[in-house]
């Protein structure tokens, strides 16, 4: 029986490369000359550090563009509130991986509401979709990628025929 898995992942190595590129871009930009601004990656958390708040916003745009250029969906970014202290402004961005229970239930609900002849099961941090026809599975993929789909960075893998 044909099946596939719905996951929400990104390549950690590509994220590291995107952070390195963002650091180089910030160091070479004219509006950041003489400014102590940097990105650092610790696990799945990106720490942005600058002198003032508006520079953090510019750095977020740089980070978003670098992630997209490296093939990472920008919707995986969970942007925290900036912390302003004296001479430094810090902000943390969490790069989310995996579907939590609420997100997985929402995906299953959307699939069931489509009335396609498929079954969806939550298996940990992924959702397995099975059906008799390959076309039905491709319709589920199109549904989740489309306008009615969730605002999540979804990938489809482990396709079995």
């Amino acid at each position: 029986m044909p099946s596939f898995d719905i996951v929400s992942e990104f390549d950690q190595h590509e994220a590291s490369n995107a952070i390195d590129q963002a650091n180089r871009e910030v160091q070479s930009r004219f509006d950041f000359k003489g400014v102590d601004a940097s990105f650092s990656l610790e696990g799945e958390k990106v720490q942005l550090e600058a002198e003032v708040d508006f520079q953090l916003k510019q750095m977020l745009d740089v980070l978003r563009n670098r992630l997209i250029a490296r093939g990472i969906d920008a919707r995986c970014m969970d942007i925290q509130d900036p912390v302003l202290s004296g001479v430094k402004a810090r902000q943390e961005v969490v790069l989310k991986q995996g579907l939590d229970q609420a997100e997985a239930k929402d995906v299953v609900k959307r699939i069931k509401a489509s009335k396609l002849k498929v079954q969806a099961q939550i298996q940990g941090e992924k959702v397995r979709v099975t059906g008799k026809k390959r076309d039905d599975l491709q319709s589920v993929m199109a549904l989740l990628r489309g306008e009615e789909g969730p605002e999540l960075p979804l990938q489809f893998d482990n396709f079995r025929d």
Side-chain angles (χ1 to χ4, degrees):
M1 194 166 217
S3 68
F4 70 91
D5 294 334
I6 301 170
V7 296
S8 180
E9 299 174 337
F10 64 89
D11 186 2
Q12 190 72 30
H13 186 68
E14 290 295 331
S16 175
N17 288 341
I19 301 302
D20 291 342
Q21 285 180 340
N23 267 326
R24 282 194 297 266
E25 182 174 336
V26 165
Q27 289 170 359
S28 66
R29 278 179 51 162
F30 180 75
D31 54 343
F32 281 95
K33 288 286 186 220
V35 175
D36 186 26
S38 65
F39 297 93
S40 61
L41 179 66
E42 296 123 23
E44 293 179 356
K45 294 180 182 178
V46 181
Q47 190 77 26
L48 284 71
E49 197 170 296
E51 292 177 358
V52 288
D53 185 30
F54 80 90
Q55 291 172 340
L56 288 176
K57 292 177 185 168
Q58 292 173 330
M59 290 174 68
L60 273 174
D61 287 338
V62 170
L63 177 63
R64 185 175 291 114
N65 291 336
R66 291 295 121 213
L67 287 173
I68 291 170
R70 301 298 292 185
I72 298 174
D73 197 331
R75 293 179 290 186
C76 75
M77 292 173 49
D78 183 19
I79 302 168
Q80 309 296 318
D81 292 331
V83 178
L84 306 173
S85 64
V87 284
K88 284 285 181 195
R90 290 185 180 90
Q91 190 166 16
E92 195 171 83
V93 176
V94 179
L95 300 175
K96 297 187 297 183
Q97 278 201 127
L99 295 172
D100 63 12
Q101 281 299 113
E103 293 168 339
K105 285 181 182 179
D106 180 48
V107 168
V108 170
K109 187 174 100 177
R110 288 173 191 265
I111 292 171
K112 289 189 185 228
S114 71
K115 303 286 186 197
L116 292 167
K117 296 191 179 200
V118 295
Q119 292 81 38
Q121 305 170 324
I122 299 172
Q123 295 181 342
E125 291 189 341
K126 63 183 177 182
V127 176
R128 167 132 326 142
V129 180
T130 58
K132 290 184 181 178
K133 295 181 184 172
R134 179 182 221 175
D135 291 342
D136 291 339
L137 297 180
Q138 291 173 340
S139 298
V140 170
M141 288 181 191
L143 170 82
L144 294 176
R145 282 189 187 124
E147 304 251 340
E148 304 87 39
E151 283 296 314
L152 299 170
L154 298 177
Q155 293 85 33
F156 309 103
D157 67 351
N158 203 11
F159 194 92
R160 305 268 189 235
D161 204 10

